[in-house]
Amino acid sequence: MTGTFNLSGAAVAGGVFGCDFQIEKTVLGFENDASWTNQHGKVQDLPPFNVGVTSGTREKWIDMFRGRVGYALDQFLIYGTAGIAFAGTEVTVSNQVAQVTSSQTRTGLAAGLGGEWAAYVDTWGAVTLKLEYVHVDFGSKRYVDPPISGAVTRDVRLTDDIVRAGVNVRFNWDRPVVTKY
């Protein structure tokens, strides 16, 4: 059994694709964003288990499909977002002699808040700057199950709290309408 620990090395890089519909000041939309991440951490087992065993957890990528509802104030949009998330994860259990790795794609729920400002607006669309917070909860999953080479199964709870900034390019596909936010 291990204690609780946080993943570190939280560099994230990725991209987003989505669509918004603006009706008066209400904005409805969806977006899918995929990101590479290098989050990882490790900790030793606690007594009475073998303290010579180390358990490491790594999150390699995260992909979220979310809806969003917002309110436009001139060129600024404030919004809430919620949807489903997927993450590529692996747990490695090792000692001085052997190492066992168990990989899974996790599924969870994502919800957050954000703001977006239309920094440049033209008839073709807009360039916006975005800042958002998203909490993702993947729950708890069992790794190394059944036990392999004497490695004990691991129940790993995984959550992400993501704050990110971005630049979006928005296009007016059907007609030259100036995006307000």
Side-chain angles (χ1 to χ4, degrees):
M1 180 171 131
T2 65
T4 300
F5 65 98
N6 291 322
L7 299 180
S8 62
V12 176
V16 63
F17 173 82
C19 184
D20 286 326
F21 303 96
Q22 186 168 348
I23 306 163
E24 300 290 323
K25 294 194 175 278
T26 302
V27 177
L28 304 171
F30 68 88
E31 60 186 23
N32 182 216
D33 56 77
S35 302
W36 164 86
T37 178
N38 68 345
Q39 292 190 89
H40 60 277
K42 66 170 94 170
V43 67
Q44 288 184 304
D45 279 5
L46 298 173
F49 297 95
N50 184 352
V51 295
V53 173
T54 301
S55 179
T57 301
R58 183 170 170 229
E59 185 178 62
K60 301 180 283 185
W61 57 266
I62 186 168
D63 185 3
M64 292 182 274
F65 182 77
R66 299 174 287 137
R68 65 184 207 164
V69 176
Y71 186 77
L73 302 163
D74 193 30
Q75 288 183 249
F76 185 75
L77 172 71
I78 186 165
Y79 62 90
T81 181
I84 192 165
F86 305 94
T89 63
E90 68 182 24
V91 169
T92 302
V93 180
S94 59
N95 61 22
Q96 298 83 356
V97 179
Q99 176 174 303
V100 175
T101 299
S102 178
S103 298
Q104 291 186 22
T105 298
R106 303 279 294 263
T107 304
L109 298 175
L113 298 169
E116 196 165 348
W117 174 62
Y120 176 78
V121 178
D122 202 337
T123 56
W124 59 265
V127 175
T128 66
L129 304 176
K130 175 167 110 174
L131 180 65
E132 72 179 359
Y133 163 78
V134 180
H135 173 78
V136 186
D137 190 342
F138 292 104
S140 185
K141 283 287 196 176
R142 181 159 287 176
Y143 290 78
V144 193
D145 187 23
I148 301 169
S149 303
V152 178
T153 60
R154 306 293 160 153
D155 290 331
V156 177
R157 177 156 178 72
L158 181 63
T159 61
D160 284 317
D161 288 295
I162 303 166
V163 176
R164 61 181 166 196
V167 176
N168 289 332
V169 177
R170 302 190 167 278
F171 298 100
N172 291 325
W173 292 103
D174 61 344
R175 61 189 185 279
V177 176
V178 176
T179 304
K180 279 291 190 178
Y181 76 93

